[in-house]
Amino acid sequence: MSESASVAIVGSGWWATANHLPALVARADIQVAAICDINADKARSAADYFDVNATYTDLAAMLRDRPLDAAVVATNHAAHYAAARQCLEAGLHVFIEKPMTLLAAEARHLLQLAADQNKQIVMGYNHTYRPCTLRARELVSSGELGAVQYLDAQFSRPVSSLLAGIDNVTIGNLHRPGDVYGDPARSGGGHGQLQLTHMAGMLFFATGLRIRRVQARMANHGLAVDLVVACTVEFDNGALGAVGGTGHVSGGGQSTRLTIFCEKGWLDIDDTAGSLHVARADGSTEFIDAGPDADQAENRYFYGPIHNFADVITKQAENHCSGLVGWRAVELLDAAYRSAARAGTAVSLDELYEDNES
């Protein structure tokens, strides 16, 4: 039997008001009890728009005053860790927008807190909800295709204006992203933290791998943050991979693709088209796409993460994309940014935790 849950929104910016709040306030089993934002005007305007009674500018005060079951953390990237940590320490389930944190040690600490509190972390990786990615995960995890040996992961989208601090989004009708994605202090980086994190989430969701070593180069092309990212990755099972992309796709369109080569076949996810091609060593093939329910599938893709969170905290579903996937993605990006800062020198997994060992 399903339950009801009281949820707070931490960060009332663009994505919270374009995605999370519209989905949650429409559900009878969810009460959005409060909105917290360091900007009082933003919190109040979001509360008025979505008919939420309480607003706060102090997260500690909200956690102390309100009886809550869960929280949605949708602050700027650099604030994810501190906000999620406070919510977990208060005994709440937590939804975290991508990237989970900026540092691998921070992500690991959140997973430890969640385990200690017996609470769930649900990640906001919407690309993991596409049928093509779900089927790829099933094939890889079953062992049918054998071990992963090489993968090629590209996530390229026309977001150069956002990375330049120019707000030109068309999704949502209340709050805007403003110049946050062009500010490394708030976003922690550019294309890597805003876009390539999506591919990292897909990659680790589909394969279950973990990095062992990363070499990366990044190019800003005049911006304050990275516009182009190129990584060579060694994974924990010995597989190698190329992971990268650009935020400048001149002429429009986008290219988001994950190709995985295994011992007994290979598979190709075209995320832009929503399709999957599978080729097996025995000569058999498989192809799936969004099919006749493409609109419904797109809705699941767009709102999938926040609805899964609501279903998890009301005991109607299992966690689809957990904090473990978020942690693995952070390890890749943390290593990549460290490597790029050192002109491409390799960064090992162990180095990410050297200053945080107890």
Side-chain angles (χ1 to χ4, degrees):
M1 181 177 179
S2 64
E3 303 176 359
S4 59
S6 178
V7 179
I9 307 296
V10 184
S12 60
W14 169 47
W15 204 239
T17 57
N19 183 282
H20 308 141
L21 275 160
L24 292 176
V25 299
R27 293 183 61 127
D29 55 357
I30 298 294
Q31 178 197 13
V32 180
I35 295 175
C36 182
D37 197 299
I38 58 173
N39 185 318
D41 292 336
K42 287 179 67 175
R44 187 69 261 165
S45 61
D48 290 344
Y49 190 91
F50 291 102
D51 195 25
V52 176
N53 291 329
T55 63
Y56 292 82
T57 57
D58 185 323
L59 178 56
M62 183 188 74
L63 295 173
R64 181 181 63 246
D65 295 347
R66 309 298 300 188
L68 298 166
D69 299 300
V72 172
V73 174
T75 62
N76 63 63
H77 302 161
H80 283 184
Y81 170 63
R85 185 193 70 233
Q86 289 184 71
C87 292
L88 286 166
E89 288 173 342
L92 306 185
H93 299 289
V94 180
F95 176 96
I96 309 177
E97 260 307 332
K98 54 79 189 168
M100 185 179 184
T101 61
L102 297 181
L103 300 177
E106 295 174 340
R108 181 178 67 175
H109 185 220
L110 294 183
L111 265 292
Q112 291 171 339
L113 281 173
D116 291 344
Q117 297 278 21
N118 194 28
K119 298 300 176 183
Q120 293 287 325
I121 296 174
V122 176
M123 288 302 306
Y125 281 119
N126 52 340
H127 293 265
T128 65
Y129 288 77
R130 292 197 190 279
C132 54
T133 306
L134 289 167
R135 177 59 177 151
R137 174 187 172 99
E138 183 179 73
L139 286 167
V140 173
S141 64
S142 72
E144 178 185 339
L145 300 179
V148 176
Q149 295 180 329
Y150 174 76
L151 60 83
D152 189 358
Q154 182 200 157
F155 202 95
S156 297
R157 287 191 161 190
V159 295
S160 53
S161 293
L162 281 176
L163 297 177
I166 301 169
D167 183 348
N168 64 347
V169 301
T170 58
I171 300 172
N173 56 4
L174 184 59
H175 292 159
R176 314 278 297 185
D179 62 356
V180 65
Y181 297 126
D183 178 10
R186 287 177 288 169
S187 290
H191 184 70
Q193 300 292 12
L194 177 64
Q195 297 286 273
L196 196 59
T197 181
H198 280 296
M199 177 52 69
M202 285 177 58
L203 187 164
F204 293 109
F205 178 85
T207 67
L209 296 174
R210 188 182 192 184
I211 67 160
R212 179 181 293 164
R213 189 174 292 105
V214 176
Q215 291 177 268
R217 297 302 298 266
M218 299 183 184
N220 290 26
H221 293 283
L223 303 183
V225 295
D226 49 284
L227 181 66
V228 180
V229 181
C231 306
T232 300
V233 184
E234 179 184 353
F235 295 95
D236 58 346
N237 74 333
L240 300 178
V243 181
T246 176
H248 183 66
V249 182
S250 181
Q254 60 190 35
S255 177
T256 56
R257 200 163 200 142
L258 173 60
T259 309
I260 304 170
F261 295 87
C262 304
E263 294 174 300
K264 304 173 186 177
W266 61 281
L267 52 85
D268 180 42
I269 304 170
D270 185 341
D271 179 73
T272 303
S275 66
L276 170 70
H277 175 261
V278 182
R280 298 177 176 83
D282 63 7
S284 64
T285 61
E286 179 181 342
F287 181 81
I288 66 169
D289 59 19
D293 66 339
D295 290 340
Q296 183 180 357
E298 189 66 15
N299 190 58
R300 287 196 303 270
Y301 152 75
F302 189 77
Y303 292 110
I306 195 62
H307 277 302
N308 178 246
F309 181 61
D311 289 342
V312 167
I313 63 178
T314 56
K315 296 182 168 53
Q316 299 177 68
E318 297 297 318
N319 192 336
H320 171 86
C321 187
S322 73
L324 179 62
V325 174
W327 178 24
R328 296 292 184 254
V330 172
E331 288 180 331
L332 170 61
L333 288 170
D334 187 358
Y337 277 94
R338 293 182 192 222
S339 175
R342 293 170 10 190
T345 301
V347 172
S348 68
L349 180 67
D350 290 344
E351 291 180 61
L352 306 181
Y353 303 102
E354 284 180 348
D355 296 331
N356 294 275
E357 297 297 338
S358 56

